[in-house]
Amino acid sequence: MALLIDLPPTLEHQVKVEAEKQKRTPEQVVIERLAQTFADDDVPTVAEVVARIKATPPNPAMITPPQGDLAAALRNGPTDPTFDLKSWEQEWAMAEAELKRINFLNDIAEGRA
């Protein structure tokens, strides 16, 4: 890719001085600096992120102590008097049938069926 850049005089002077020091062309110096600037080396890997998370000590301010028995809370939780299990099961069956139909059509389109 060719790119024409009009540098301010002070920056142009700095690039030329640096190029002379390195016994390189100004273009080579600018290309190297741009490559360093846009390099993806600063992006951590998933393993590095996980390691950083594991190394982070817990923050006591973010921990909420339990306030009772979870199983009992789930058993005794609020109920929806308008909830109709039979209707919900029918709707769920229709949703699953639609997903199967879409998957089948995708399999045909992609040559797997």
Side-chain angles (χ1 to χ4, degrees):
M1 172 175 105
L3 184 64
L4 178 63
I5 300 174
D6 187 21
L7 297 176
T10 55
L11 186 54
E12 179 183 355
H13 177 72
Q14 289 174 330
V15 169
K16 286 180 178 179
V17 168
E18 186 63 30
E20 287 175 18
K21 283 185 200 174
Q22 297 181 18
K23 297 189 182 355
R24 300 169 69 198
T25 67
E27 292 81 5
Q28 290 171 324
V29 171
V30 170
I31 289 170
E32 180 182 0
R33 290 290 175 100
L34 285 172
Q36 290 170 352
T37 300
F38 291 107
D40 290 336
D41 295 340
D42 295 346
V43 177
T45 65
V46 172
E48 290 170 337
V49 172
V50 170
R52 213 177 301 153
I53 291 169
K54 286 181 176 180
T56 303
N59 181 351
M62 300 301 291
I63 298 172
T64 304
Q67 311 238 336
D69 181 31
L70 176 60
L74 292 173
R75 276 192 304 276
N76 302 325
T79 58
D80 182 357
T82 63
F83 180 74
D84 179 12
L85 179 61
K86 188 174 181 178
S87 175
W88 181 87
E89 287 175 338
Q90 289 173 343
E91 290 176 15
W92 185 256
M94 290 185 338
E96 284 188 331
E98 178 66 9
L99 286 172
K100 286 180 183 177
R101 186 185 74 78
I102 291 169
N103 285 338
F104 177 69
L105 293 174
N106 285 342
D107 288 343
I108 290 172
E110 296 173 8
R112 292 189 300 259

PDB file of all heavy atoms in Angstrom, residues 6-33:
ATOM      1  N   ASP A   6       1.981  13.978   4.877  1.00  0.00           N
ATOM      2  CA  ASP A   6       2.611  15.290   4.975  1.00  0.00           C
ATOM      3  C   ASP A   6       2.908  15.543   6.449  1.00  0.00           C
ATOM      4  O   ASP A   6       2.015  15.856   7.242  1.00  0.00           O
ATOM      5  CB  ASP A   6       1.664  16.362   4.413  1.00  0.00           C
ATOM      6  CG  ASP A   6       2.334  17.719   4.335  1.00  0.00           C
ATOM      7  OD1 ASP A   6       3.585  17.774   4.313  1.00  0.00           O
ATOM      8  OD2 ASP A   6       1.607  18.730   4.294  1.00  0.00           O
ATOM      9  N   LEU A   7       4.160  15.350   6.843  1.00  0.00           N
ATOM     10  CA  LEU A   7       4.556  15.501   8.242  1.00  0.00           C
ATOM     11  C   LEU A   7       4.821  16.964   8.579  1.00  0.00           C
ATOM     12  O   LEU A   7       5.359  17.706   7.755  1.00  0.00           O
ATOM     13  CB  LEU A   7       5.825  14.695   8.518  1.00  0.00           C
ATOM     14  CG  LEU A   7       5.747  13.188   8.344  1.00  0.00           C
ATOM     15  CD1 LEU A   7       7.117  12.570   8.556  1.00  0.00           C
ATOM     16  CD2 LEU A   7       4.740  12.586   9.307  1.00  0.00           C
ATOM     17  N   PRO A   8       4.506  17.366   9.785  1.00  0.00           N
ATOM     18  CA  PRO A   8       4.906  18.710  10.218  1.00  0.00           C
ATOM     19  C   PRO A   8       6.435  18.792  10.225  1.00  0.00           C
ATOM     20  O   PRO A   8       7.116  17.782  10.435  1.00  0.00           O
ATOM     21  CB  PRO A   8       4.352  18.815  11.639  1.00  0.00           C
ATOM     22  CG  PRO A   8       3.375  17.692  11.788  1.00  0.00           C
ATOM     23  CD  PRO A   8       3.746  16.653  10.803  1.00  0.00           C
ATOM     24  N   PRO A   9       6.980  19.965   9.999  1.00  0.00           N
ATOM     25  CA  PRO A   9       8.446  20.118   9.891  1.00  0.00           C
ATOM     26  C   PRO A   9       9.220  19.544  11.090  1.00  0.00           C
ATOM     27  O   PRO A   9      10.258  18.914  10.902  1.00  0.00           O
ATOM     28  CB  PRO A   9       8.650  21.633   9.778  1.00  0.00           C
ATOM     29  CG  PRO A   9       7.359  22.151   9.232  1.00  0.00           C
ATOM     30  CD  PRO A   9       6.291  21.243   9.747  1.00  0.00           C
ATOM     31  N   THR A  10       8.719  19.746  12.305  1.00  0.00           N
ATOM     32  CA  THR A  10       9.467  19.246  13.466  1.00  0.00           C
ATOM     33  C   THR A  10       9.507  17.723  13.474  1.00  0.00           C
ATOM     34  O   THR A  10      10.533  17.119  13.783  1.00  0.00           O
ATOM     35  CB  THR A  10       8.846  19.751  14.785  1.00  0.00           C
ATOM     36  OG1 THR A  10       7.464  19.397  14.823  1.00  0.00           O
ATOM     37  CG2 THR A  10       8.977  21.250  14.916  1.00  0.00           C
ATOM     38  N   LEU A  11       8.393  17.089  13.133  1.00  0.00           N
ATOM     39  CA  LEU A  11       8.346  15.633  13.100  1.00  0.00           C
ATOM     40  C   LEU A  11       9.205  15.096  11.952  1.00  0.00           C
ATOM     41  O   LEU A  11       9.912  14.093  12.105  1.00  0.00           O
ATOM     42  CB  LEU A  11       6.894  15.149  12.961  1.00  0.00           C
ATOM     43  CG  LEU A  11       6.659  13.652  13.053  1.00  0.00           C
ATOM     44  CD1 LEU A  11       7.254  13.072  14.333  1.00  0.00           C
ATOM     45  CD2 LEU A  11       5.174  13.349  12.974  1.00  0.00           C
ATOM     46  N   GLU A  12       9.169  15.768  10.834  1.00  0.00           N
ATOM     47  CA  GLU A  12      10.004  15.366   9.697  1.00  0.00           C
ATOM     48  C   GLU A  12      11.483  15.401  10.084  1.00  0.00           C
ATOM     49  O   GLU A  12      12.243  14.480   9.783  1.00  0.00           O
ATOM     50  CB  GLU A  12       9.745  16.301   8.512  1.00  0.00           C
ATOM     51  CG  GLU A  12      10.590  15.974   7.287  1.00  0.00           C
ATOM     52  CD  GLU A  12      10.359  16.964   6.155  1.00  0.00           C
ATOM     53  OE1 GLU A  12       9.489  17.856   6.272  1.00  0.00           O
ATOM     54  OE2 GLU A  12      11.069  16.836   5.145  1.00  0.00           O
ATOM     55  N   HIS A  13      11.866  16.450  10.795  1.00  0.00           N
ATOM     56  CA  HIS A  13      13.251  16.572  11.250  1.00  0.00           C
ATOM     57  C   HIS A  13      13.620  15.416  12.192  1.00  0.00           C
ATOM     58  O   HIS A  13      14.689  14.810  12.064  1.00  0.00           O
ATOM     59  CB  HIS A  13      13.468  17.924  11.934  1.00  0.00           C
ATOM     60  CG  HIS A  13      14.839  18.094  12.498  1.00  0.00           C
ATOM     61  ND1 HIS A  13      15.959  18.284  11.698  1.00  0.00           N
ATOM     62  CD2 HIS A  13      15.287  18.074  13.786  1.00  0.00           C
ATOM     63  CE1 HIS A  13      17.030  18.364  12.472  1.00  0.00           C
ATOM     64  NE2 HIS A  13      16.650  18.251  13.744  1.00  0.00           N
ATOM     65  N   GLN A  14      12.717  15.090  13.132  1.00  0.00           N
ATOM     66  CA  GLN A  14      12.978  13.995  14.074  1.00  0.00           C
ATOM     67  C   GLN A  14      13.139  12.665  13.345  1.00  0.00           C
ATOM     68  O   GLN A  14      14.018  11.857  13.686  1.00  0.00           O
ATOM     69  CB  GLN A  14      11.843  13.895  15.099  1.00  0.00           C
ATOM     70  CG  GLN A  14      11.817  15.032  16.087  1.00  0.00           C
ATOM     71  CD  GLN A  14      10.592  14.965  16.989  1.00  0.00           C
ATOM     72  OE1 GLN A  14       9.539  14.479  16.583  1.00  0.00           O
ATOM     73  NE2 GLN A  14      10.737  15.474  18.199  1.00  0.00           N
ATOM     74  N   VAL A  15      12.314  12.438  12.341  1.00  0.00           N
ATOM     75  CA  VAL A  15      12.397  11.186  11.581  1.00  0.00           C
ATOM     76  C   VAL A  15      13.726  11.122  10.833  1.00  0.00           C
ATOM     77  O   VAL A  15      14.403  10.083  10.843  1.00  0.00           O
ATOM     78  CB  VAL A  15      11.206  11.058  10.596  1.00  0.00           C
ATOM     79  CG1 VAL A  15      11.428   9.916   9.619  1.00  0.00           C
ATOM     80  CG2 VAL A  15       9.903  10.876  11.354  1.00  0.00           C
ATOM     81  N   LYS A  16      14.120  12.210  10.231  1.00  0.00           N
ATOM     82  CA  LYS A  16      15.387  12.232   9.488  1.00  0.00           C
ATOM     83  C   LYS A  16      16.579  12.006  10.416  1.00  0.00           C
ATOM     84  O   LYS A  16      17.506  11.268  10.085  1.00  0.00           O
ATOM     85  CB  LYS A  16      15.543  13.559   8.737  1.00  0.00           C
ATOM     86  CG  LYS A  16      14.653  13.655   7.517  1.00  0.00           C
ATOM     87  CD  LYS A  16      14.839  14.978   6.799  1.00  0.00           C
ATOM     88  CE  LYS A  16      13.978  15.051   5.562  1.00  0.00           C
ATOM     89  NZ  LYS A  16      14.110  16.328   4.848  1.00  0.00           N
ATOM     90  N   VAL A  17      16.557  12.638  11.583  1.00  0.00           N
ATOM     91  CA  VAL A  17      17.648  12.469  12.552  1.00  0.00           C
ATOM     92  C   VAL A  17      17.725  11.015  12.997  1.00  0.00           C
ATOM     93  O   VAL A  17      18.808  10.418  13.051  1.00  0.00           O
ATOM     94  CB  VAL A  17      17.470  13.422  13.756  1.00  0.00           C
ATOM     95  CG1 VAL A  17      18.415  13.066  14.891  1.00  0.00           C
ATOM     96  CG2 VAL A  17      17.656  14.866  13.322  1.00  0.00           C
ATOM     97  N   GLU A  18      16.571  10.425  13.303  1.00  0.00           N
ATOM     98  CA  GLU A  18      16.539   9.030  13.736  1.00  0.00           C
ATOM     99  C   GLU A  18      17.019   8.107  12.619  1.00  0.00           C
ATOM    100  O   GLU A  18      17.745   7.140  12.874  1.00  0.00           O
ATOM    101  CB  GLU A  18      15.120   8.656  14.176  1.00  0.00           C
ATOM    102  CG  GLU A  18      15.007   7.281  14.786  1.00  0.00           C
ATOM    103  CD  GLU A  18      15.798   7.115  16.073  1.00  0.00           C
ATOM    104  OE1 GLU A  18      15.989   8.094  16.822  1.00  0.00           O
ATOM    105  OE2 GLU A  18      16.237   5.974  16.346  1.00  0.00           O
ATOM    106  N   ALA A  19      16.642   8.400  11.399  1.00  0.00           N
ATOM    107  CA  ALA A  19      17.062   7.574  10.263  1.00  0.00           C
ATOM    108  C   ALA A  19      18.583   7.638  10.077  1.00  0.00           C
ATOM    109  O   ALA A  19      19.225   6.613   9.825  1.00  0.00           O
ATOM    110  CB  ALA A  19      16.354   8.037   8.992  1.00  0.00           C
ATOM    111  N   GLU A  20      19.144   8.822  10.249  1.00  0.00           N
ATOM    112  CA  GLU A  20      20.605   8.964  10.134  1.00  0.00           C
ATOM    113  C   GLU A  20      21.316   8.176  11.225  1.00  0.00           C
ATOM    114  O   GLU A  20      22.325   7.515  10.977  1.00  0.00           O
ATOM    115  CB  GLU A  20      21.001  10.438  10.196  1.00  0.00           C
ATOM    116  CG  GLU A  20      20.660  11.219   8.942  1.00  0.00           C
ATOM    117  CD  GLU A  20      20.960  12.715   9.087  1.00  0.00           C
ATOM    118  OE1 GLU A  20      21.735  13.095   9.992  1.00  0.00           O
ATOM    119  OE2 GLU A  20      20.394  13.485   8.294  1.00  0.00           O
ATOM    120  N   LYS A  21      20.784   8.241  12.459  1.00  0.00           N
ATOM    121  CA  LYS A  21      21.378   7.493  13.563  1.00  0.00           C
ATOM    122  C   LYS A  21      21.393   5.996  13.266  1.00  0.00           C
ATOM    123  O   LYS A  21      22.352   5.297  13.585  1.00  0.00           O
ATOM    124  CB  LYS A  21      20.583   7.716  14.864  1.00  0.00           C
ATOM    125  CG  LYS A  21      20.817   9.012  15.560  1.00  0.00           C
ATOM    126  CD  LYS A  21      20.038   8.983  16.872  1.00  0.00           C
ATOM    127  CE  LYS A  21      19.801  10.362  17.417  1.00  0.00           C
ATOM    128  NZ  LYS A  21      18.925  10.332  18.605  1.00  0.00           N
ATOM    129  N   GLN A  22      20.295   5.501  12.696  1.00  0.00           N
ATOM    130  CA  GLN A  22      20.158   4.072  12.440  1.00  0.00           C
ATOM    131  C   GLN A  22      20.723   3.654  11.079  1.00  0.00           C
ATOM    132  O   GLN A  22      20.699   2.482  10.740  1.00  0.00           O
ATOM    133  CB  GLN A  22      18.669   3.669  12.508  1.00  0.00           C
ATOM    134  CG  GLN A  22      18.043   3.867  13.863  1.00  0.00           C
ATOM    135  CD  GLN A  22      16.584   3.426  13.863  1.00  0.00           C
ATOM    136  OE1 GLN A  22      16.128   2.693  13.005  1.00  0.00           O
ATOM    137  NE2 GLN A  22      15.842   3.880  14.865  1.00  0.00           N
ATOM    138  N   LYS A  23      21.206   4.645  10.311  1.00  0.00           N
ATOM    139  CA  LYS A  23      21.713   4.396   8.962  1.00  0.00           C
ATOM    140  C   LYS A  23      20.644   3.680   8.113  1.00  0.00           C
ATOM    141  O   LYS A  23      20.903   2.659   7.476  1.00  0.00           O
ATOM    142  CB  LYS A  23      23.007   3.587   8.989  1.00  0.00           C
ATOM    143  CG  LYS A  23      24.144   4.306   9.694  1.00  0.00           C
ATOM    144  CD  LYS A  23      25.444   3.585   9.516  1.00  0.00           C
ATOM    145  CE  LYS A  23      26.618   4.177  10.191  1.00  0.00           C
ATOM    146  NZ  LYS A  23      26.604   5.390  10.871  1.00  0.00           N
ATOM    147  N   ARG A  24      19.463   4.268   8.160  1.00  0.00           N
ATOM    148  CA  ARG A  24      18.319   3.746   7.411  1.00  0.00           C
ATOM    149  C   ARG A  24      17.622   4.908   6.725  1.00  0.00           C
ATOM    150  O   ARG A  24      17.909   6.075   6.994  1.00  0.00           O
ATOM    151  CB  ARG A  24      17.344   3.033   8.362  1.00  0.00           C
ATOM    152  CG  ARG A  24      18.005   1.868   9.087  1.00  0.00           C
ATOM    153  CD  ARG A  24      17.177   1.320  10.209  1.00  0.00           C
ATOM    154  NE  ARG A  24      15.993   0.660   9.685  1.00  0.00           N
ATOM    155  CZ  ARG A  24      14.919   0.391  10.411  1.00  0.00           C
ATOM    156  NH1 ARG A  24      14.890   0.713  11.683  1.00  0.00           N
ATOM    157  NH2 ARG A  24      13.890  -0.208   9.888  1.00  0.00           N
ATOM    158  N   THR A  25      16.663   4.584   5.877  1.00  0.00           N
ATOM    159  CA  THR A  25      15.902   5.648   5.228  1.00  0.00           C
ATOM    160  C   THR A  25      14.801   6.124   6.183  1.00  0.00           C
ATOM    161  O   THR A  25      14.362   5.372   7.055  1.00  0.00           O
ATOM    162  CB  THR A  25      15.242   5.152   3.932  1.00  0.00           C
ATOM    163  OG1 THR A  25      14.235   4.186   4.256  1.00  0.00           O
ATOM    164  CG2 THR A  25      16.268   4.547   2.984  1.00  0.00           C
ATOM    165  N   PRO A  26      14.358   7.362   5.997  1.00  0.00           N
ATOM    166  CA  PRO A  26      13.251   7.846   6.822  1.00  0.00           C
ATOM    167  C   PRO A  26      12.000   6.963   6.672  1.00  0.00           C
ATOM    168  O   PRO A  26      11.282   6.722   7.647  1.00  0.00           O
ATOM    169  CB  PRO A  26      12.993   9.256   6.299  1.00  0.00           C
ATOM    170  CG  PRO A  26      14.301   9.684   5.726  1.00  0.00           C
ATOM    171  CD  PRO A  26      14.911   8.435   5.162  1.00  0.00           C
ATOM    172  N   GLU A  27      11.766   6.470   5.460  1.00  0.00           N
ATOM    173  CA  GLU A  27      10.604   5.606   5.236  1.00  0.00           C
ATOM    174  C   GLU A  27      10.684   4.332   6.085  1.00  0.00           C
ATOM    175  O   GLU A  27       9.687   3.889   6.659  1.00  0.00           O
ATOM    176  CB  GLU A  27      10.488   5.232   3.743  1.00  0.00           C
ATOM    177  CG  GLU A  27      10.140   6.397   2.841  1.00  0.00           C
ATOM    178  CD  GLU A  27      11.346   7.275   2.464  1.00  0.00           C
ATOM    179  OE1 GLU A  27      12.481   6.926   2.832  1.00  0.00           O
ATOM    180  OE2 GLU A  27      11.135   8.305   1.821  1.00  0.00           O
ATOM    181  N   GLN A  28      11.877   3.753   6.170  1.00  0.00           N
ATOM    182  CA  GLN A  28      12.054   2.542   6.974  1.00  0.00           C
ATOM    183  C   GLN A  28      11.769   2.809   8.452  1.00  0.00           C
ATOM    184  O   GLN A  28      11.155   1.997   9.138  1.00  0.00           O
ATOM    185  CB  GLN A  28      13.467   1.986   6.799  1.00  0.00           C
ATOM    186  CG  GLN A  28      13.723   1.392   5.433  1.00  0.00           C
ATOM    187  CD  GLN A  28      15.195   1.046   5.229  1.00  0.00           C
ATOM    188  OE1 GLN A  28      16.079   1.760   5.702  1.00  0.00           O
ATOM    189  NE2 GLN A  28      15.444  -0.041   4.495  1.00  0.00           N
ATOM    190  N   VAL A  29      12.217   3.948   8.928  1.00  0.00           N
ATOM    191  CA  VAL A  29      11.988   4.319  10.334  1.00  0.00           C
ATOM    192  C   VAL A  29      10.492   4.488  10.598  1.00  0.00           C
ATOM    193  O   VAL A  29       9.952   3.973  11.590  1.00  0.00           O
ATOM    194  CB  VAL A  29      12.762   5.606  10.690  1.00  0.00           C
ATOM    195  CG1 VAL A  29      12.358   6.124  12.060  1.00  0.00           C
ATOM    196  CG2 VAL A  29      14.259   5.352  10.630  1.00  0.00           C
ATOM    197  N   VAL A  30       9.800   5.177   9.708  1.00  0.00           N
ATOM    198  CA  VAL A  30       8.366   5.415   9.885  1.00  0.00           C
ATOM    199  C   VAL A  30       7.594   4.101   9.805  1.00  0.00           C
ATOM    200  O   VAL A  30       6.699   3.846  10.619  1.00  0.00           O
ATOM    201  CB  VAL A  30       7.847   6.428   8.832  1.00  0.00           C
ATOM    202  CG1 VAL A  30       6.340   6.505   8.853  1.00  0.00           C
ATOM    203  CG2 VAL A  30       8.460   7.799   9.088  1.00  0.00           C
ATOM    204  N   ILE A  31       7.946   3.232   8.859  1.00  0.00           N
ATOM    205  CA  ILE A  31       7.267   1.939   8.731  1.00  0.00           C
ATOM    206  C   ILE A  31       7.450   1.117   9.997  1.00  0.00           C
ATOM    207  O   ILE A  31       6.510   0.504  10.510  1.00  0.00           O
ATOM    208  CB  ILE A  31       7.774   1.173   7.485  1.00  0.00           C
ATOM    209  CG1 ILE A  31       7.256   1.859   6.219  1.00  0.00           C
ATOM    210  CG2 ILE A  31       7.343  -0.288   7.527  1.00  0.00           C
ATOM    211  CD1 ILE A  31       7.883   1.339   4.939  1.00  0.00           C
ATOM    212  N   GLU A  32       8.671   1.107  10.542  1.00  0.00           N
ATOM    213  CA  GLU A  32       8.928   0.349  11.765  1.00  0.00           C
ATOM    214  C   GLU A  32       8.090   0.891  12.927  1.00  0.00           C
ATOM    215  O   GLU A  32       7.486   0.129  13.683  1.00  0.00           O
ATOM    216  CB  GLU A  32      10.409   0.395  12.122  1.00  0.00           C
ATOM    217  CG  GLU A  32      10.729  -0.385  13.380  1.00  0.00           C
ATOM    218  CD  GLU A  32      12.199  -0.291  13.772  1.00  0.00           C
ATOM    219  OE1 GLU A  32      12.971   0.384  13.060  1.00  0.00           O
ATOM    220  OE2 GLU A  32      12.546  -0.876  14.811  1.00  0.00           O
ATOM    221  N   ARG A  33       8.041   2.219  13.065  1.00  0.00           N
ATOM    222  CA  ARG A  33       7.261   2.816  14.153  1.00  0.00           C
ATOM    223  C   ARG A  33       5.776   2.523  14.000  1.00  0.00           C
ATOM    224  O   ARG A  33       5.082   2.223  14.977  1.00  0.00           O
ATOM    225  CB  ARG A  33       7.483   4.333  14.213  1.00  0.00           C
ATOM    226  CG  ARG A  33       8.852   4.748  14.678  1.00  0.00           C
ATOM    227  CD  ARG A  33       9.022   4.443  16.176  1.00  0.00           C
ATOM    228  NE  ARG A  33      10.360   4.719  16.607  1.00  0.00           N
ATOM    229  CZ  ARG A  33      10.726   5.821  17.244  1.00  0.00           C
ATOM    230  NH1 ARG A  33       9.855   6.755  17.514  1.00  0.00           N
ATOM    231  NH2 ARG A  33      11.979   5.982  17.610  1.00  0.00           N
TER     232      ARG A  33
END
